[in-house]
Amino acid sequence: MKYASSIIFCVLFNLLFVNIFCTEESSEKNSETESCGFVLLPRDSKLSAKEQQCSSDIDGEKDCGSNSADKYLEENQNLENKGDNQWANTVLIKGGKFKMGTDKPVFVADGEGPARQVMIDDFYLEAYEVSNKNFEEFVESTGHITEAEKFGDSFVLDSLLSEEVKKTISQAVAAAPWWLPVKGADWRHPEGTDSNIEERMDHPVIHVSWNDAVAYCKWKGMRLPTEAEWEYACKSGLQDRLFPWGNKQMPQNKHYMNIWQGTFPTNNTEEDGYISTAPVTAFPSTHFGLKNIVGNVWEWTEDWWNTQHSAEDQHNPKGPKSGKDKVKKGGSYMCHKSYCYRFRCAARSQNTPDTSAGNVGFRCAASKV
Ligand SMILES: *[C@@H]1O[C@H](CO)[C@@H](O)[C@H](O)[C@H]1NC(C)=O
Ligand SMILES: [Ca+2]
Ligand SMILES: [Ca+2]
């Protein structure tokens, strides 16, 4: 019972969280999964309650055999295996069949299920999230102006802001008051005008919208991965596992990704070494040679968001023809199992294509011709 209620509670709480960007549109929406009506729930009581109720361990399953996850990850790196690939730091993901989604969804309303058989063709995927350095090259060569720069603000986690910047902010996101719309926050100024990226050129670029991500990938002669490709890459050829290395969040009690340790949103104990973003090269590579595919920053995918999926077999599915939100995958440094257990490969979330925030980035893909 405790398990069931904690799941339900987490679902509710997470709906609050994932929908924070659309508070203005709440009146237009009516279905539960899309609604931002959850902003009406009092948040204070939820916070303390979820900490108690959502803490039960839902890893649930045995890990992937007795082999060390480390060994599995390191032995199978194929970063060197570039083949006929023209892009640096890109891996060839050999296609195959896999189970997309899960029949054991944590967040039913997110459309994590049902599990369905999906066939993926060979494709290329960048081994790393796109870094500030990469993005700077793009901006210097194209003059691209990001949507955060056009709008003049972007969302930043409150605890990362200076007191000076905090003082200037009068509004917060009702359902998620730790998100603050910060004037002047953009990819070069991740925490607003008094911040910069000088020491973070190897960190993932943030405050980039889906539209910005598409422009970058086009410039590289690439594209965003489909959700199916992304998830196939994340699952590393494993059947029905939570993470790229198996089912344990922390094999051998070691950190394999940049997420949140401590109590969200008040106390980040930084046990994995990072309070915010980590370099795109941090943490072990997955079986397919990818870094930070889960954690660090969320990654935009090509697909429009919906939560109803056919259980039929599919070949290179591309999601719905149209929609309002785009799918993002992998979770971020802000995710804690207690409220955003979305650093699992099958987990998903969404934002409008013009949304930007301090925990969303991307990596590019390309078809194998
Ligand atoms: C944060 O959590 C850690 C570990 O539980 C604790 O030792 C520390 O005192 C907490 N810090 C704050 C500011 O609450
Ligand atoms: Ca961290
Ligand atoms: Ca990531």
Side-chain angles (χ1 to χ4, degrees):
M1 267 322 285
K2 184 172 175 251
Y3 176 72
S5 65
S6 80
I7 297 281
I8 290 163
F9 193 91
C10 286
V11 169
L12 287 175
F13 190 83
N14 275 272
L15 281 169
L16 272 178
F17 188 72
V18 300
N19 283 303
I20 58 172
F21 294 116
C22 44
T23 49
E24 287 159 24
E25 286 133 347
S26 57
S27 56
E28 295 166 22
K29 301 189 161 192
N30 43 32
S31 92
E32 267 222 338
T33 51
E34 284 181 336
S35 172
C36 296
F38 289 102
V39 297
L40 300 174
L41 290 172
R43 181 207 157 234
D44 289 350
S45 57
K46 301 302 172 216
L47 256 190
S48 51
K50 61 104 187 165
E51 279 156 20
Q52 293 155 9
Q53 293 187 18
C54 300
S55 59
S56 67
D57 192 326
I58 42 181
D59 276 345
E61 295 171 43
K62 282 183 233 114
D63 195 10
C64 183
S66 54
N67 288 343
S68 122
D70 251 353
K71 214 168 133 214
Y72 176 79
L73 293 169
E74 304 288 358
E75 275 179 2
N76 290 290
Q77 281 218 42
N78 61 351
L79 255 185
E80 304 311 316
N81 176 21
K82 283 186 198 152
D84 53 359
N85 180 5
Q86 57 179 298
W87 297 283
N89 297 326
T90 303
V91 291
L92 174 64
I93 308 286
K94 289 295 284 177
K97 263 192 193 151
F98 86 115
K99 228 193 232 179
M100 184 170 176
T102 174
D103 285 326
K104 289 173 247 167
V106 176
F107 302 115
V108 176
D110 283 359
E112 292 181 3
R116 57 263 186 214
Q117 197 74 236
V118 166
M119 173 83 181
I120 295 290
D121 292 338
D122 292 0
F123 69 103
Y124 294 109
L125 187 63
E126 290 187 311
Y128 311 118
E129 296 157 333
V130 172
S131 69
N132 285 319
K133 186 167 181 298
N134 299 147
F135 202 77
E136 185 180 68
E137 284 166 26
F138 161 63
V139 167
E140 281 177 358
S141 104
T142 62
H144 181 85
I145 298 170
T146 60
E147 290 195 281
E149 291 168 287
K150 288 179 195 160
F151 286 120
D153 60 22
S154 191
F155 285 101
V156 185
L157 176 64
D158 59 357
S159 58
L160 299 177
L161 295 172
S162 68
E163 288 308 317
E164 291 306 305
V165 168
K166 252 189 245 183
K167 264 189 240 157
T168 67
I169 298 169
S170 52
Q171 58 181 140
V173 177
W178 49 85
W179 275 120
L180 298 179
V182 176
K183 279 211 170 57
D186 59 38
W187 72 276
R188 276 190 239 261
H189 309 97
E191 294 85 31
T193 49
D194 63 354
S195 63
N196 66 63
I197 52 172
E198 268 167 40
E199 309 289 314
R200 289 179 274 179
M201 293 310 287
D202 60 346
H203 285 227
V205 65
I206 52 178
H207 299 301
V208 283
S209 68
W210 183 89
N211 294 314
D212 297 323
V214 166
Y216 174 93
C217 292
K218 264 194 193 147
W219 171 73
K220 288 211 71 168
M222 303 180 82
R223 57 174 173 79
L224 286 175
T226 64
E227 180 181 8
E229 286 172 338
W230 190 100
E231 190 169 320
Y232 177 76
C234 185
K235 286 179 172 170
S236 300
L238 296 177
Q239 288 299 319
D240 209 14
R241 298 291 160 183
L242 296 171
F243 308 114
W245 50 86
N247 276 332
K248 289 224 168 92
Q249 186 173 318
M250 286 182 62
Q252 285 87 49
N253 221 26
K254 278 167 52 184
H255 293 282
Y256 281 80
M257 59 189 153
N258 181 17
I259 53 174
W260 186 292
Q261 294 85 40
T263 306
F264 187 86
T266 51
N267 186 356
N268 187 340
T269 55
E270 236 178 300
E271 280 151 47
D272 59 24
Y274 303 97
I275 198 162
S276 175
T277 54
V280 298
T281 51
F283 297 97
S285 287
T286 70
H287 175 51
F288 283 173
L290 307 169
K291 296 259 188 178
N292 295 296
I293 188 83
V294 285
N296 212 21
V297 290
W298 283 97
E299 299 176 21
W300 290 113
T301 72
E302 180 59 37
D303 299 24
W304 289 108
W305 170 263
N306 78 344
T307 54
Q308 305 298 318
H309 312 293
S310 159
E312 281 172 26
D313 291 11
Q314 286 167 287
H315 184 195
N316 282 333
K318 292 178 168 30
K321 289 245 172 339
S322 61
K324 183 184 155 293
D325 293 314
K326 289 289 182 177
V327 177
K328 60 181 184 181
K329 297 282 279 185
S332 80
Y333 64 85
M334 284 174 59
C335 281
H336 187 281
K337 194 169 180 177
S338 70
Y339 82 97
C340 176
Y341 186 27
R342 288 198 174 82
F343 40 87
R344 295 165 293 116
C345 294
R348 54 207 300 273
S349 188
Q350 85 276 33
N351 285 115
T352 59
D354 61 0
T355 299
S356 66
N359 66 344
V360 186
F362 66 103
R363 76 182 71 209
C364 305
S367 303
K368 192 176 181 223
V369 282

